[in-house]
Amino acid sequence: MAHIALTASAPFLALCRGTRLQSGFFSRGRGTDKFLFTNSPRKRLQVRFFSSGTTGSNGGVVEKPRVCILGGGFGGLYTALRLESLVWSDDKKPQVVLVDQSERFVFKPMLYELLSGEVDEWEIAPRFSDLLANTSVQFCQDRVKLLHPSDQWGLDGGLTASSCGGTVQLESGLLIEYDWLVLALGAEAKLDFVPGAAEFALPFSTLEDAFKVNNKLKTLERKNFGKDSQISVAVVGCGYSGVELAATVAERLSDRGVVRAIDAEMMICPTAPPGNREAALKVLSSRKIELLLGYLVRCIRRVSNIESSDTMTGVGENQGVAAVHDSEKYILELQPTERGLQSKILEADLVLWTVGSKSSLTEIETSDMSFVLPLNGRGQAETDETLRVKGHPRIFAIGDSSALRDSHGRILPATAQVAFQQADFAGWNLWAAINGRPLLSFRFQNLGEMMTLGRNDAAISPSFIEGLTLEGPIGHTARKIAYLLRLPTDEHKLKVGISWFTKSAVDSVASLQSTLSKVLSGS
């Protein structure tokens, strides 16, 4: 097990001792809870939570608990909203700050719909400021640089003395003092284990990634418009993300392109329910997506000016790939993982990468000082059953930041469903910890699995009806309804629901008009 060491400079220690040098206030939303900014001796801007309206029985000011949530994905945002929804006494309701590097929350399972044109950006990527406008949760757009927890267990088995749970330093120089911390930083695509992948492949895990892929497809579509040559797309990985991406891109390109999906396994979506896998195989086959199973990508390189498809072997032959190359074409060298398969060379205009990820906790600045968080080989924090980081009773870790294991000793998958449920438990356990109540042990309940396969295709296998799989248009509709109900706030659900209903009505009218036109022209 690896450990990440987290330390602090003098300004951090000054904060924990209670130093306050007021230079101004930052506040947003309703209520009297504010942030108090202070300047440290090293001229770094510091942030403290400050409550101005609660008076104790002795007439002094009683500060409310301070909760800092790092990461605004499914785990972080939904934990903040869960805290907001619980019933608190006036002196116990925490001041909550949510930190994320982006200004938008991203509903990642629906990024594929951006490529197909089914959804608009605001529907699946609303701004945090809009989502939190009617709450007391404060939002700070910044990156995490350094952690300094002060809640570690001492050698005598007790908590070390400290007036706060710890501090967080952000890249902007801001320091946030907290009583309770939630790590929900998510994960990032890992491309550095295959030569050329980081330079020439595009990942698909963030809103920015989706925009890059969409813009690249638009460029290729314009470039090949009216030409006989086809756009060649290689998708590396045939898990859920790779299959969903391949199906979406193939549907978009139609007969103007060829999509090849590559995976080291001999089966697509190996962890998926059989019904989802079979539905996906039918769609991939109908769209003539070529599956290259049992192959590893050994390297990716840019095509040189002297290479042509006549010199290619294996997959590149007789596939309609243009013989004239430019600097935007790439070669993938494939190495077989099974006996009987031959090495292949694949040429592509676009390489999409969906395998490998690393926890964003590994990006936080480290030191050799004494403060440590227990991390596993993936960079995830080891937690107990209550989602608290081992050795740090005031720090919770959820989603991709957590290495919580199930009853069989397996780390829970990094899925939206797991993050949803952990956020609910993390919010409740924070309430329990603040109010001196027993914490609950997290138990993941698999409700089923869903995957999109295009504008009118999807597959859903609910866990409560064994052997049932909804696919095609029915599965597509059921999936959108399920995700609509999972959107963060009631206000956003209503807006998106109206938008989707309107689009569906317009599409239905257009389809009816097209059908009537064909009937009339035929008569």
Side-chain angles (χ1 to χ4, degrees), residues 183-195:
L183 300 176
L185 289 168
E188 301 175 358
K190 182 176 176 60
L191 291 83
D192 55 3
F193 58 92
V194 172

Side-chain angles (χ1 to χ4, degrees), residues 208-252:
E208 291 73 22
D209 293 339
F211 284 144
K212 288 179 182 178
V213 172
N214 189 51
N215 290 335
K216 180 64 175 179
L217 286 171
K218 286 181 178 179
T219 299
L220 291 170
E221 287 165 341
R222 287 194 299 267
K223 181 179 177 181
N224 283 51
F225 182 76
K227 297 182 180 180
D228 294 333
S229 59
Q230 289 186 313
I231 299 169
S232 176
V233 178
V235 179
V236 181
C238 289
Y240 265 114
S241 181
V243 169
E244 291 176 299
L245 190 56
T248 301
V249 172
E251 181 183 53
R252 171 171 171 166

Side-chain angles (χ1 to χ4, degrees), residues 436-457:
R437 303 291 184 84
L439 276 62
L440 298 178
S441 296
F442 176 75
R443 291 293 183 269
F444 173 60
Q445 293 184 332
N446 187 359
L447 302 178
E449 299 185 22
M450 303 187 292
M451 63 191 309
T452 182
L453 297 168
R455 287 186 63 89
N456 207 33
D457 275 299

Side-chain angles (χ1 to χ4, degrees), residues 122-385:
W122 70 269
E123 295 172 340
I124 66 164
R127 288 183 171 84
F128 286 109
S129 57
D130 295 331
L131 295 175
L132 301 174
N134 296 320
T135 73
S136 61
V137 178
Q138 307 288 328
F139 173 66
C140 178
Q141 184 179 351
D142 211 329
R143 288 176 177 267
V144 181
K145 182 179 181 181
L146 186 67
L147 300 183
H148 176 69
S150 302
D151 65 342
Q152 65 278 5
W153 295 99
L155 296 178
D156 59 354
L159 283 173
T160 57
S162 176
S163 62
C164 66
T167 50
V168 177
Q169 181 181 355
L170 306 179
E171 284 193 352
S172 64
L174 297 179
L175 302 182
I176 300 178
E177 181 181 307
Y178 65 83
D179 296 308
W180 305 89
L181 180 68
V182 179
L183 300 176
L185 289 168
E188 301 175 358
K190 182 176 176 60
L191 291 83
D192 55 3
F193 58 92
V194 172
E199 294 84 358
F200 306 125
L202 293 181
F204 195 82
S205 61
T206 68
L207 182 64
E208 291 73 22
D209 293 339
F211 284 144
K212 288 179 182 178
V213 172
N214 189 51
N215 290 335
K216 180 64 175 179
L217 286 171
K218 286 181 178 179
T219 299
L220 291 170
E221 287 165 341
R222 287 194 299 267
K223 181 179 177 181
N224 283 51
F225 182 76
K227 297 182 180 180
D228 294 333
S229 59
Q230 289 186 313
I231 299 169
S232 176
V233 178
V235 179
V236 181
C238 289
Y240 265 114
S241 181
V243 169
E244 291 176 299
L245 190 56
T248 301
V249 172
E251 181 183 53
R252 171 171 171 166
L253 295 179
S254 187
D255 57 357
R256 296 169 297 156
V258 56
V259 176
R260 302 183 180 93
I262 309 158
D263 200 278
E265 301 288 339
M266 295 300 295
M267 176 190 299
I268 69 167
C269 302
T271 62
N276 278 14
R277 189 182 308 113
E278 292 169 7
L281 284 171
K282 286 191 291 186
V283 170
L284 297 181
S285 176
S286 68
R287 293 180 189 159
K288 300 180 180 179
I289 296 171
E290 187 172 354
L291 294 177
L292 300 173
L293 303 178
Y295 285 96
L296 285 172
V297 178
R298 188 166 58 189
C299 72
I300 305 174
R301 56 188 172 88
R302 197 189 300 272
V303 173
S304 67
N305 292 329
I306 61 173
E307 287 179 299
S308 69
S309 58
D310 292 336
T311 65
M312 308 291 280
T313 60
V315 186
E317 295 179 352
N318 304 319
Q319 296 292 340
V321 180
V324 179
H325 303 281
D326 56 35
S327 60
E328 293 301 320
K329 288 187 178 289
Y330 309 100
I331 289 177
L332 293 81
E333 297 184 12
L334 307 184
Q335 176 182 336
T337 60
E338 298 287 333
R339 290 184 178 181
L341 297 178
Q342 301 296 320
S343 299
K344 293 182 180 292
I345 302 294
L346 173 65
E347 183 177 331
D349 298 291
L350 174 61
V351 182
L352 303 178
W353 196 271
T354 68
V355 295
S357 64
K358 57 181 178 181
S359 170
S360 295
L361 280 177
T362 60
E363 299 299 315
I364 298 176
E365 185 177 316
T366 63
S367 170
D368 291 329
M369 299 294 286
S370 59
F371 300 112
V372 297
L373 290 179
L375 301 184
N376 66 3
R378 301 179 184 179
Q380 300 166 307
E382 294 282 358
T383 64
D384 62 20
E385 293 183 342

